[in-house]
Amino acid sequence: MTKNKLIDKLKLDGDLFLAPIAGYSDMGMRCLCYTYGATLCFTEMVSAKGLYYGNKNTAEILHLDDKEVGITGVQIFGHEPDIIGEVVGYKELENFPIIDINMGCPVPKIVKNNDGASLMKNPYLVKEMVSSAVKGAKGKLVSAKFRAGFGEVKNAPEIALACQEGGASFVTIHGRTREQYYAGDTDLDIIKKVKESVKIPVVGNGSVVDRDSYLKMKEYTGVDFVMVARGALGKPYVFSQIRGKDYDYNIKDLIEKHIAKLNFLPERVAVNNMKKHIAYYVKGRPNQKYIKEQIFKCTSIDELLRVDIGNFK
Ligand SMILES: Cc1cc2nc3c(=O)[nH]c(=O)nc-3n(C[C@H](O)[C@H](O)[C@H](O)COP(=O)(O)O)c2cc1C
């Protein structure tokens, strides 16, 4: 798939993606990011096996706002081509036009199970996974998100090629190795090499937090799209800032809108999710320590809404 075909198929109006972020890229965060100009957002990763065995927790992650239908992508993780190929056709995923396969999660629990970044050790399996997903996905787009490499070897270009051969519509490269987790510099050279290695569109990810870092990513590597993760936590307006568009926001208002979008969740779950988000919304703001202390005592949405966040930008 070429960049233009991808843009046409998904009716994309820009090149800025919100990353899958476990515990954060929920419906509330995604809706706010779209409001501020994100082109495309992803759910956090869901277990292919969880889907296969009907795990109830996945339903909450897969819940979409009406305006997300046909645009937001779902990320799944697993390592068995047959299971991946089967679950991508499930009804639970019918509203997602993109199925992204996680090949970058560095967490020991995931890697020990041969999932996430562990897949980068086996390009043949990568190709099998993608091709099985493409067969099962019946016209949906399949993509994969991986890292610079696993261990010493930065084999991201080889992995990108394996994805292309398997039939992926695009790939996302996070320019850090598995060992780096989320720290240290993003290697723009390896992202550039991935871009030069494949014909399918490439999404560059890592350390993009504002317009300057976005321009650096695009100009240095030549990637087609750019994905933002931590730069959007508590700052959904970062997408407007990156686009160079005027924007306005108020933290209290963002928090209230975010909470309102989580009303489909059991209250206990919504409260716990919002505590983590609010810590980001108020990061670096006046009184943040006091606000966080109050927030972490809350046990209901009403209590959360009563905390005096202040009226600041
Ligand atoms: C808390 C947290 C959760 C994450 N969860 C996922 C995930 O579910 N799937 C995934 O592919 N990457 C996940 N990532 C990685 C991000 O998508 C992204 O690749 C990484 O943070 C680098 O981008 P950044 O420098 O813009 O933060 C996660 C990162 C963080 C910090």
Side-chain angles (χ1 to χ4, degrees), residues 19-22 24 44-45 75 102 145 174 176 182 205-208 228-230:
I21 315 175
Y24 290 94
E44 66 179 86
M45 60 181 192
Q75 190 187 60
N102 182 310
K145 178 168 177 282
H174 170 198
R176 292 187 179 91
Y182 303 105
N205 168 238
S207 312
V208 173
V228 180
R230 287 166 295 176

Side-chain angles (χ1 to χ4, degrees), residues 7 13 51 67 85 126 146 169 191 215 257 301-302 313:
I7 291 172
D13 70 345
L51 279 164
K67 72 174 179 201
V126 163
F146 47 82
S169 293
I191 298 180
L215 289 175
K257 286 188 171 135
I301 293 290
D302 278 347
K313 289 197 157 197

Side-chain angles (χ1 to χ4, degrees), residues 267-268 271 275 295-304:
E267 184 167 13
R268 178 187 49 81
V271 169
K275 286 180 183 178
I295 291 289
F296 278 89
K297 284 185 204 152
C298 295
T299 55
S300 70
I301 293 290
D302 278 347
E303 281 174 23
L304 271 186

Side-chain angles (χ1 to χ4, degrees), residues 17-34 40-46 60-64 68 72-75 96 145 227-230 232-234 239 258 262 264-265 273 276-277 280-281:
F17 295 178
L18 172 70
I21 315 175
Y24 290 94
S25 61
D26 57 30
M27 195 178 99
M29 178 171 182
R30 296 193 305 266
C31 285
L32 286 168
C33 290
Y34 281 123
L40 180 64
C41 301
F42 285 89
T43 68
E44 66 179 86
M45 60 181 192
V46 296
E60 287 170 4
I61 299 175
L62 298 175
H63 191 90
L64 288 180
E68 293 190 277
T72 290
V74 61
Q75 190 187 60
F96 296 93
K145 178 168 177 282
M227 180 180 272
V228 180
R230 287 166 295 176
L233 291 174
F239 293 100
H258 197 145
L262 298 190
F264 70 94
L265 289 172
N273 288 5
K276 293 185 294 176
H277 280 293
Y280 276 102
Y281 280 117

Side-chain angles (χ1 to χ4, degrees), residues 6 47 79 111 128 200 274 297 312-313:
L6 185 67
S47 159
H79 64 274
V111 166
E128 289 290 291
I200 52 175
M274 277 316 295
K297 284 185 204 152
F312 54 83
K313 289 197 157 197

